[in-house]
Amino acid sequence: MNIATTRGTTSRAMSLPNLLTYGRIAAIPVVVGCIYAQSILDQPLWLRWVAVALFIAAAVTDYLDGYYARIWNQQSAFGRMLDPIADKLLVASCLLMLAADGIIHGWSLWAAIVILCREILVSGLREYLAALRVSVPVTKLAKWKTTVQLVAIGFLLAGPAGDEVVPVVSMMGLALLWASAIVTIYTGYDYFRAGIHHLIKEDEG
């Protein structure tokens, strides 16, 4: 690889959209740490508000990195690879911490399980389809699913701290989590159907 190519690759890796994605990943241990300290170590409730603020900032970067990549023509293969990974890491780590925290409990655990299983399914399908050089675009419904999912997690991260302000914050979070899980099943089925279609074509070929 020559010097010009190396510099070009480094420049794309350090572009603002990718830096925003790095920031989203960096926020994960801090958000999880705040909830762990408050719930498991019985620290003050204000830590939950810190977690919520960082989570909101991380969720906003999910929109901004794609927006700036498009308007500044800074889209890259590295960014396309890292962006969905950052999203899945953020969602999965928060759901696991909220389950350990007890905010997600009982039947609501099934909603979290559905969401996590769908993410694993879609990741596997995308990897398989990428090997066939097949791209599966993200649908508008999938984007709405992600939005509802992030809002639900935000409410649940506030948890008891939010309930002190508005008593139904945790309940609203759980309701939105179930709504997200239901849409997740539908969008996951769409991805699965597309994967099976290309699998059958590959076998017949």
PDB file of all heavy atoms in Angstrom, residues 21-41:
ATOM      1  N   THR A  21     -19.131   8.135  15.557  1.00  0.00           N
ATOM      2  CA  THR A  21     -19.376   6.720  15.824  1.00  0.00           C
ATOM      3  C   THR A  21     -18.461   6.217  16.931  1.00  0.00           C
ATOM      4  O   THR A  21     -18.897   5.469  17.817  1.00  0.00           O
ATOM      5  CB  THR A  21     -19.153   5.883  14.548  1.00  0.00           C
ATOM      6  OG1 THR A  21     -19.997   6.389  13.508  1.00  0.00           O
ATOM      7  CG2 THR A  21     -19.507   4.420  14.785  1.00  0.00           C
ATOM      8  N   TYR A  22     -17.180   6.641  16.905  1.00  0.00           N
ATOM      9  CA  TYR A  22     -16.267   6.269  17.985  1.00  0.00           C
ATOM     10  C   TYR A  22     -16.793   6.768  19.332  1.00  0.00           C
ATOM     11  O   TYR A  22     -16.702   6.075  20.349  1.00  0.00           O
ATOM     12  CB  TYR A  22     -14.871   6.869  17.765  1.00  0.00           C
ATOM     13  CG  TYR A  22     -14.200   6.484  16.483  1.00  0.00           C
ATOM     14  CD1 TYR A  22     -13.302   7.354  15.861  1.00  0.00           C
ATOM     15  CD2 TYR A  22     -14.449   5.256  15.874  1.00  0.00           C
ATOM     16  CE1 TYR A  22     -12.672   7.015  14.680  1.00  0.00           C
ATOM     17  CE2 TYR A  22     -13.822   4.909  14.683  1.00  0.00           C
ATOM     18  CZ  TYR A  22     -12.944   5.799  14.087  1.00  0.00           C
ATOM     19  OH  TYR A  22     -12.318   5.465  12.920  1.00  0.00           O
ATOM     20  N   GLY A  23     -17.328   7.997  19.316  1.00  0.00           N
ATOM     21  CA  GLY A  23     -17.868   8.563  20.549  1.00  0.00           C
ATOM     22  C   GLY A  23     -19.038   7.758  21.082  1.00  0.00           C
ATOM     23  O   GLY A  23     -19.196   7.599  22.302  1.00  0.00           O
ATOM     24  N   ARG A  24     -19.862   7.236  20.159  1.00  0.00           N
ATOM     25  CA  ARG A  24     -21.000   6.411  20.574  1.00  0.00           C
ATOM     26  C   ARG A  24     -20.511   5.133  21.260  1.00  0.00           C
ATOM     27  O   ARG A  24     -21.073   4.715  22.271  1.00  0.00           O
ATOM     28  CB  ARG A  24     -21.867   6.074  19.355  1.00  0.00           C
ATOM     29  CG  ARG A  24     -23.161   5.353  19.708  1.00  0.00           C
ATOM     30  CD  ARG A  24     -24.235   5.603  18.689  1.00  0.00           C
ATOM     31  NE  ARG A  24     -24.065   4.892  17.442  1.00  0.00           N
ATOM     32  CZ  ARG A  24     -23.640   5.442  16.298  1.00  0.00           C
ATOM     33  NH1 ARG A  24     -23.301   6.705  16.249  1.00  0.00           N
ATOM     34  NH2 ARG A  24     -23.544   4.717  15.194  1.00  0.00           N
ATOM     35  N   ILE A  25     -19.464   4.548  20.730  1.00  0.00           N
ATOM     36  CA  ILE A  25     -18.904   3.340  21.343  1.00  0.00           C
ATOM     37  C   ILE A  25     -18.270   3.672  22.696  1.00  0.00           C
ATOM     38  O   ILE A  25     -18.424   2.932  23.676  1.00  0.00           O
ATOM     39  CB  ILE A  25     -17.871   2.697  20.401  1.00  0.00           C
ATOM     40  CG1 ILE A  25     -18.565   2.192  19.127  1.00  0.00           C
ATOM     41  CG2 ILE A  25     -17.142   1.539  21.084  1.00  0.00           C
ATOM     42  CD1 ILE A  25     -17.622   1.684  18.067  1.00  0.00           C
ATOM     43  N   ALA A  26     -17.564   4.805  22.758  1.00  0.00           N
ATOM     44  CA  ALA A  26     -16.905   5.199  24.011  1.00  0.00           C
ATOM     45  C   ALA A  26     -17.909   5.484  25.123  1.00  0.00           C
ATOM     46  O   ALA A  26     -17.587   5.325  26.311  1.00  0.00           O
ATOM     47  CB  ALA A  26     -16.023   6.427  23.768  1.00  0.00           C
ATOM     48  N   ALA A  27     -19.126   5.917  24.745  1.00  0.00           N
ATOM     49  CA  ALA A  27     -20.142   6.233  25.755  1.00  0.00           C
ATOM     50  C   ALA A  27     -20.700   4.986  26.430  1.00  0.00           C
ATOM     51  O   ALA A  27     -21.227   5.066  27.554  1.00  0.00           O
ATOM     52  CB  ALA A  27     -21.279   7.027  25.112  1.00  0.00           C
ATOM     53  N   ILE A  28     -20.589   3.824  25.774  1.00  0.00           N
ATOM     54  CA  ILE A  28     -21.215   2.599  26.284  1.00  0.00           C
ATOM     55  C   ILE A  28     -20.740   2.220  27.684  1.00  0.00           C
ATOM     56  O   ILE A  28     -21.565   2.041  28.590  1.00  0.00           O
ATOM     57  CB  ILE A  28     -21.012   1.434  25.297  1.00  0.00           C
ATOM     58  CG1 ILE A  28     -21.758   1.719  23.999  1.00  0.00           C
ATOM     59  CG2 ILE A  28     -21.491   0.112  25.907  1.00  0.00           C
ATOM     60  CD1 ILE A  28     -21.427   0.738  22.878  1.00  0.00           C
ATOM     61  N   PRO A  29     -19.413   2.090  27.936  1.00  0.00           N
ATOM     62  CA  PRO A  29     -18.996   1.702  29.287  1.00  0.00           C
ATOM     63  C   PRO A  29     -19.360   2.728  30.352  1.00  0.00           C
ATOM     64  O   PRO A  29     -19.580   2.357  31.510  1.00  0.00           O
ATOM     65  CB  PRO A  29     -17.470   1.547  29.156  1.00  0.00           C
ATOM     66  CG  PRO A  29     -17.096   2.308  27.939  1.00  0.00           C
ATOM     67  CD  PRO A  29     -18.263   2.201  27.017  1.00  0.00           C
ATOM     68  N   VAL A  30     -19.455   3.999  29.958  1.00  0.00           N
ATOM     69  CA  VAL A  30     -19.814   5.033  30.938  1.00  0.00           C
ATOM     70  C   VAL A  30     -21.287   4.913  31.315  1.00  0.00           C
ATOM     71  O   VAL A  30     -21.653   4.987  32.492  1.00  0.00           O
ATOM     72  CB  VAL A  30     -19.503   6.443  30.388  1.00  0.00           C
ATOM     73  CG1 VAL A  30     -19.795   7.497  31.457  1.00  0.00           C
ATOM     74  CG2 VAL A  30     -18.055   6.535  29.930  1.00  0.00           C
ATOM     75  N   VAL A  31     -22.147   4.727  30.304  1.00  0.00           N
ATOM     76  CA  VAL A  31     -23.582   4.554  30.566  1.00  0.00           C
ATOM     77  C   VAL A  31     -23.820   3.323  31.437  1.00  0.00           C
ATOM     78  O   VAL A  31     -24.519   3.389  32.460  1.00  0.00           O
ATOM     79  CB  VAL A  31     -24.366   4.429  29.241  1.00  0.00           C
ATOM     80  CG1 VAL A  31     -25.826   4.050  29.511  1.00  0.00           C
ATOM     81  CG2 VAL A  31     -24.309   5.730  28.460  1.00  0.00           C
ATOM     82  N   VAL A  32     -23.221   2.202  31.052  1.00  0.00           N
ATOM     83  CA  VAL A  32     -23.371   0.964  31.814  1.00  0.00           C
ATOM     84  C   VAL A  32     -22.800   1.119  33.219  1.00  0.00           C
ATOM     85  O   VAL A  32     -23.394   0.661  34.206  1.00  0.00           O
ATOM     86  CB  VAL A  32     -22.683  -0.207  31.074  1.00  0.00           C
ATOM     87  CG1 VAL A  32     -22.629  -1.451  31.954  1.00  0.00           C
ATOM     88  CG2 VAL A  32     -23.413  -0.516  29.773  1.00  0.00           C
ATOM     89  N   GLY A  33     -21.662   1.793  33.324  1.00  0.00           N
ATOM     90  CA  GLY A  33     -21.039   1.998  34.626  1.00  0.00           C
ATOM     91  C   GLY A  33     -21.895   2.828  35.562  1.00  0.00           C
ATOM     92  O   GLY A  33     -21.968   2.545  36.771  1.00  0.00           O
ATOM     93  N   CYS A  34     -22.559   3.843  35.024  1.00  0.00           N
ATOM     94  CA  CYS A  34     -23.437   4.685  35.855  1.00  0.00           C
ATOM     95  C   CYS A  34     -24.611   3.874  36.409  1.00  0.00           C
ATOM     96  O   CYS A  34     -24.949   3.987  37.584  1.00  0.00           O
ATOM     97  CB  CYS A  34     -23.958   5.874  35.044  1.00  0.00           C
ATOM     98  SG  CYS A  34     -22.734   7.161  34.744  1.00  0.00           S
ATOM     99  N   ILE A  35     -25.232   3.063  35.552  1.00  0.00           N
ATOM    100  CA  ILE A  35     -26.362   2.245  35.999  1.00  0.00           C
ATOM    101  C   ILE A  35     -25.892   1.185  36.992  1.00  0.00           C
ATOM    102  O   ILE A  35     -26.556   0.914  37.999  1.00  0.00           O
ATOM    103  CB  ILE A  35     -27.065   1.577  34.790  1.00  0.00           C
ATOM    104  CG1 ILE A  35     -27.600   2.650  33.836  1.00  0.00           C
ATOM    105  CG2 ILE A  35     -28.208   0.683  35.264  1.00  0.00           C
ATOM    106  CD1 ILE A  35     -28.588   3.612  34.438  1.00  0.00           C
ATOM    107  N   TYR A  36     -24.741   0.598  36.724  1.00  0.00           N
ATOM    108  CA  TYR A  36     -24.193  -0.410  37.637  1.00  0.00           C
ATOM    109  C   TYR A  36     -23.916   0.203  39.008  1.00  0.00           C
ATOM    110  O   TYR A  36     -24.271  -0.380  40.040  1.00  0.00           O
ATOM    111  CB  TYR A  36     -22.903  -0.986  37.056  1.00  0.00           C
ATOM    112  CG  TYR A  36     -22.278  -2.054  37.920  1.00  0.00           C
ATOM    113  CD1 TYR A  36     -22.666  -3.381  37.800  1.00  0.00           C
ATOM    114  CD2 TYR A  36     -21.299  -1.730  38.858  1.00  0.00           C
ATOM    115  CE1 TYR A  36     -22.107  -4.370  38.598  1.00  0.00           C
ATOM    116  CE2 TYR A  36     -20.729  -2.702  39.657  1.00  0.00           C
ATOM    117  CZ  TYR A  36     -21.137  -4.018  39.531  1.00  0.00           C
ATOM    118  OH  TYR A  36     -20.578  -4.993  40.320  1.00  0.00           O
ATOM    119  N   ALA A  37     -23.287   1.381  39.018  1.00  0.00           N
ATOM    120  CA  ALA A  37     -22.958   2.035  40.288  1.00  0.00           C
ATOM    121  C   ALA A  37     -24.221   2.398  41.059  1.00  0.00           C
ATOM    122  O   ALA A  37     -24.293   2.195  42.277  1.00  0.00           O
ATOM    123  CB  ALA A  37     -22.115   3.286  40.025  1.00  0.00           C
ATOM    124  N   GLN A  38     -25.243   2.917  40.334  1.00  0.00           N
ATOM    125  CA  GLN A  38     -26.457   3.332  41.026  1.00  0.00           C
ATOM    126  C   GLN A  38     -27.253   2.139  41.545  1.00  0.00           C
ATOM    127  O   GLN A  38     -27.708   2.133  42.692  1.00  0.00           O
ATOM    128  CB  GLN A  38     -27.325   4.170  40.072  1.00  0.00           C
ATOM    129  CG  GLN A  38     -28.494   4.868  40.754  1.00  0.00           C
ATOM    130  CD  GLN A  38     -29.656   3.930  41.073  1.00  0.00           C
ATOM    131  OE1 GLN A  38     -30.088   3.157  40.226  1.00  0.00           O
ATOM    132  NE2 GLN A  38     -30.156   3.988  42.304  1.00  0.00           N
ATOM    133  N   SER A  39     -27.403   1.119  40.722  1.00  0.00           N
ATOM    134  CA  SER A  39     -28.273   0.003  41.076  1.00  0.00           C
ATOM    135  C   SER A  39     -27.569  -1.064  41.914  1.00  0.00           C
ATOM    136  O   SER A  39     -28.037  -1.423  42.993  1.00  0.00           O
ATOM    137  CB  SER A  39     -28.831  -0.631  39.802  1.00  0.00           C
ATOM    138  OG  SER A  39     -29.608  -1.767  40.108  1.00  0.00           O
ATOM    139  N   ILE A  40     -26.442  -1.540  41.433  1.00  0.00           N
ATOM    140  CA  ILE A  40     -25.761  -2.645  42.094  1.00  0.00           C
ATOM    141  C   ILE A  40     -24.994  -2.175  43.322  1.00  0.00           C
ATOM    142  O   ILE A  40     -24.993  -2.833  44.369  1.00  0.00           O
ATOM    143  CB  ILE A  40     -24.807  -3.362  41.117  1.00  0.00           C
ATOM    144  CG1 ILE A  40     -25.533  -3.722  39.810  1.00  0.00           C
ATOM    145  CG2 ILE A  40     -24.192  -4.600  41.773  1.00  0.00           C
ATOM    146  CD1 ILE A  40     -26.722  -4.630  39.990  1.00  0.00           C
ATOM    147  N   LEU A  41     -24.347  -1.003  43.202  1.00  0.00           N
ATOM    148  CA  LEU A  41     -23.551  -0.490  44.317  1.00  0.00           C
ATOM    149  C   LEU A  41     -24.320   0.503  45.182  1.00  0.00           C
ATOM    150  O   LEU A  41     -23.756   1.080  46.117  1.00  0.00           O
ATOM    151  CB  LEU A  41     -22.268   0.175  43.775  1.00  0.00           C
ATOM    152  CG  LEU A  41     -21.362  -0.725  42.910  1.00  0.00           C
ATOM    153  CD1 LEU A  41     -20.137   0.049  42.458  1.00  0.00           C
ATOM    154  CD2 LEU A  41     -20.964  -1.984  43.680  1.00  0.00           C
TER     155      LEU A  41
END
